[in-house]
Amino acid sequence: MAAVLTTGACSGTAHSDIGGSTNAAYQLTDRTPAPTAPLDSFSWSIFAEPTSIDYAYAFDYPPNQILSNVCESLLRWNPDLTTSPNLASSYRNPTPTTWVYKIRPHVRFHDGTVLTAHDVVTSLRRHLDPAVGSAWATSFRNVKSIDQSGELEVTVRLKKPDSTFNQEMAASPGTVESAATLAEEGKDYGSPKGGVNCTGPFSFGSWNPGQSLVLKKFDGYWNPKLSAKAGQVTFVFLSDATTRVSAFQSGEVDGGWMVPTDSYAQLGSSRAGKLYFGRNTTVADEVVGDLKGPLGDTRVRRALLMAIDREGIVKAGAGGVGEVADSLVTDNVWNGAPAATRKALLEDLPRYPYDPAKAKKLAKQAGVRGQRIVIASSPLDSQSTITTQAVAQAARDIGLDPKIDTLPPEKYSTLFTDPAARKGIDLFLTFWYTSITDPLDMYTSLEAGASTNYGGWSNRDFDKAVEQAIGTYEPAAHAEANAKAQRIALRELPWLPLHTQPVSVFLGNRITGVRPSIAYLYYPWAAEIGARG
């Protein structure tokens, strides 16, 4: 699973990595200047308050950018999108269906208790419990058992080979919490009252609902390389984009991810701080939420994509920062694929260049003229509004009768979790990122029966290719199966890819040290922030 949401802004350039951007208007940055000194505290804006910081439900930008500094996983997803050991000091794969994790010794939770294999087993098993209702249950669908196999060793046995399982141990699915805390807090776990008790460089401090959440430096942290340089971080919930930008400019907050795109020019020349762009795995897509309506005909979906002025969306909606997407994933998630496969992929990708006249003819063949489609939107930022208007115009251009249904942010979020909320909605916008460096993180979301296959799309050959990729560890064969799934998805278009754009982050003049990357959702980025000299 990856995620979502309604608002603004992330994604990596589709065909370029660090230093390789084809858009002269912006540059990607690996690392901001190193801090010159520790810092007592800094404040950070966040566009929405999490409903919970329980790792089992952490699948979106707001909870993950907080939890990445508090709770740790068995493995770690690094800013360069590689994976390395973390709470598991090592791991091995003695058979295709067995993963053995050596648990790092002498690691302590924030309450001072010592990390054990029992904590790991308990934390992972929560995803298997239907009563928990983990958002990451799909990541464990091939898990047969999770057991302690030594004093500091845990063995996971799979029903069949699964090439994504170990990779996902670097994201929320691999998070480790104190077993005692889970038992003690019960339903309060992850709430403003109960908080969390993990092993990260910051501990949960306090949560003032509707206002802010405070993290405090954990002096007992095990990893000196990622020990926090600041004594405290205060996350301030600022849902209004204009208010966030004003807070940056005035110094009311020291920084924030997901900078509103319509402020890029303003903040790019600001004297209050600096705007950076970094690696991303996100693609802005229109999700087809109803395949029983006019968009159930593949010709109409293709026509609609050809009629959308995606270059215009990048310019007007994304601040000119980003590129038209030819795929549902960014190029950098193919890093593990052989060069020949990647080259063939680009040459063999179904493409839909902007061609309103051809699109209109195609839609006419489908006989959908005058039929109503409903496009959901949310007023969180101008980017969402501009994109939705452009999609509605494209629908109108091919003869459909579009209606925009503007939903409050909290109701819009339910489109991703509640089938009833999607009733009557034909299209809705998402900024979908992958949580691992593998296209499968996207394409498993579109398998028949997946909870994230919102429109109920089904293609037997696609499912077969995805399952083949899941079951294949060998890089070349894995990539080939992934590529086959991608070709089918882009031919059928259950989702319409719009554009990519880099991660954005603003740092006020007081702070520096963060590494701009989508890995901020799982990597302890706040620990690297200190004082700017």
Side-chain angles (χ1 to χ4, degrees):
M1 179 161 179
V4 271
L5 196 69
T6 60
T7 186
C10 301
S11 73
T13 50
H15 303 299
S16 62
D17 289 326
I18 294 294
S21 172
T22 58
N23 189 331
Y26 67 97
Q27 287 188 327
L28 302 186
T29 300
D30 261 338
R31 180 186 294 270
T32 59
T36 56
L39 197 62
D40 288 339
S41 66
F42 68 91
S43 57
W44 199 260
S45 76
I46 187 169
F47 73 85
E49 182 175 8
T51 55
S52 169
I53 55 170
D54 181 339
Y55 66 91
Y57 312 123
F59 65 97
D60 207 348
Y61 298 94
N64 285 96
Q65 66 179 280
I66 296 171
L67 274 179
S68 57
N69 299 288
V70 185
C71 291
E72 297 183 290
S73 297
L74 288 176
L75 310 182
R76 185 172 61 232
W77 203 33
N78 300 303
D80 64 358
L81 306 187
T82 60
T83 299
S84 58
N86 201 29
L87 291 181
S89 57
S90 65
Y91 56 91
R92 57 193 176 89
N93 185 208
T95 76
T97 56
T98 307
W99 288 95
V100 181
Y101 298 93
K102 284 287 185 186
I103 309 306
R104 192 176 298 277
H106 312 304
V107 173
R108 291 186 179 275
F109 289 104
H110 296 142
D111 67 356
T113 56
V114 177
L115 168 69
T116 67
H118 174 63
D119 296 308
V120 176
V121 170
T122 301
S123 297
L124 299 188
R125 281 183 178 174
R126 283 187 81 219
H127 298 287
L128 299 173
D129 184 355
V132 172
S134 169
W136 297 93
T138 301
S139 302
F140 289 77
R141 62 181 176 170
N142 290 323
V143 171
K144 182 179 179 182
S145 63
I146 303 169
D147 296 298
Q148 182 172 346
S149 49
E151 184 179 356
L152 281 173
E153 182 182 281
V154 171
T155 296
V156 177
R157 290 187 170 80
L158 306 175
K159 300 169 189 171
K160 58 182 181 180
D162 186 334
S163 59
T164 62
F165 179 80
N166 187 56
Q167 297 184 72
E168 291 181 349
M169 291 301 100
S172 287
T175 300
V176 180
E177 169 62 277
S178 157
T181 297
L182 288 170
E184 289 167 9
E185 295 297 336
K187 291 184 178 179
D188 286 334
Y189 177 69
S191 72
K193 181 180 178 183
V196 298
N197 174 35
C198 295
T199 62
F202 287 97
S203 63
F204 175 78
S206 60
W207 184 347
N208 184 5
Q211 300 295 319
S212 61
L213 188 151
V214 175
L215 305 182
K216 295 185 175 181
K217 178 178 179 178
F218 176 43
D219 291 328
Y221 185 52
W222 62 274
N223 184 356
K225 292 181 179 177
L226 285 172
S227 178
K229 293 179 172 57
Q232 178 174 302
V233 187
T234 300
F235 289 87
V236 184
F237 309 135
L238 298 174
S239 60
D240 181 75
T242 302
T243 303
R244 287 205 304 282
V245 175
S246 296
F248 291 149
Q249 291 281 44
S250 67
E252 180 184 341
V253 295
D254 291 302
W257 298 103
M258 301 180 78
V259 176
T261 54
D262 58 2
S263 71
Y264 283 172
Q266 181 185 2
L267 293 177
S269 59
S270 174
R271 299 176 68 177
K274 191 167 182 180
L275 174 65
Y276 296 95
F277 299 107
R279 294 174 199 263
N280 209 345
T281 63
T282 310
V283 177
D285 306 301
E286 282 290 337
V287 176
V288 181
D290 184 358
L291 286 165
K292 295 178 181 175
L295 295 176
D297 190 316
T298 308
R299 293 173 295 180
V300 183
R301 301 197 293 274
R302 292 173 183 162
L304 181 60
L305 187 54
M306 284 193 289
I308 298 173
D309 181 5
R310 292 182 287 169
E311 288 278 4
I313 290 174
V314 171
K315 290 176 183 174
V321 176
E323 297 180 8
V324 169
D326 292 320
S327 170
L328 297 171
V329 297
T330 55
D331 184 58
N332 53 21
V333 301
W334 290 94
N335 286 347
T341 303
R342 295 180 68 172
K343 182 181 178 183
L345 266 175
L346 290 176
E347 294 172 351
D348 199 26
L349 215 54
R351 297 176 193 276
Y352 302 90
Y354 182 52
D355 191 338
K358 186 176 179 181
K360 191 172 182 178
K361 288 181 183 176
L362 192 58
K364 187 176 181 181
Q365 291 172 12
V368 292
R369 184 170 182 78
Q371 293 189 25
R372 166 63 59 89
I373 64 166
V374 176
I375 307 170
S377 182
S378 178
L380 266 177
D381 62 5
S382 63
Q383 179 172 217
S384 299
T385 302
I386 290 170
T387 300
T388 302
Q389 289 172 344
V391 173
Q393 182 60 50
R396 201 171 293 115
D397 289 344
I398 63 172
L400 293 169
D401 176 22
K403 175 191 173 187
I404 296 176
D405 189 0
T406 303
L407 306 174
E410 60 277 11
K411 189 173 181 183
Y412 195 90
S413 291
T414 63
L415 296 176
F416 299 92
T417 56
D418 183 2
R422 297 193 291 273
K423 190 174 182 181
I425 302 294
D426 293 280
L427 285 169
F428 54 100
L429 177 64
T430 185
F431 294 84
W432 195 268
Y433 62 83
T434 68
S435 296
I436 58 176
T437 312
D438 192 319
L440 263 186
D441 199 43
M442 170 69 228
Y443 293 121
T444 52
S445 301
L446 295 176
E447 275 196 289
S451 61
T452 45
N453 183 359
Y454 302 118
W457 176 66
S458 179
N459 182 292
R460 186 174 299 176
D461 291 336
F462 174 86
D463 291 348
K464 187 176 177 182
V466 168
E467 287 301 317
Q468 186 178 350
I470 291 173
T472 305
Y473 293 94
E474 195 280 316
H478 180 80
E480 286 297 332
N482 260 334
K484 183 175 181 180
Q486 174 165 273
R487 278 194 296 273
I488 295 170
L490 293 172
R491 193 177 67 223
E492 296 284 319
L493 295 175
W495 293 15
L496 312 183
L498 299 179
H499 65 89
T500 66
Q501 61 190 80
V503 160
S504 59
V505 60
F506 183 80
L507 297 182
N509 289 331
R510 283 197 332 122
I511 64 173
T512 188
V514 74
R515 287 195 258 178
S517 166
I518 188 65
Y520 77 86
L521 297 173
Y522 303 109
Y523 179 85
W525 55 272
E528 296 187 311
I529 290 181
R532 191 183 185 97

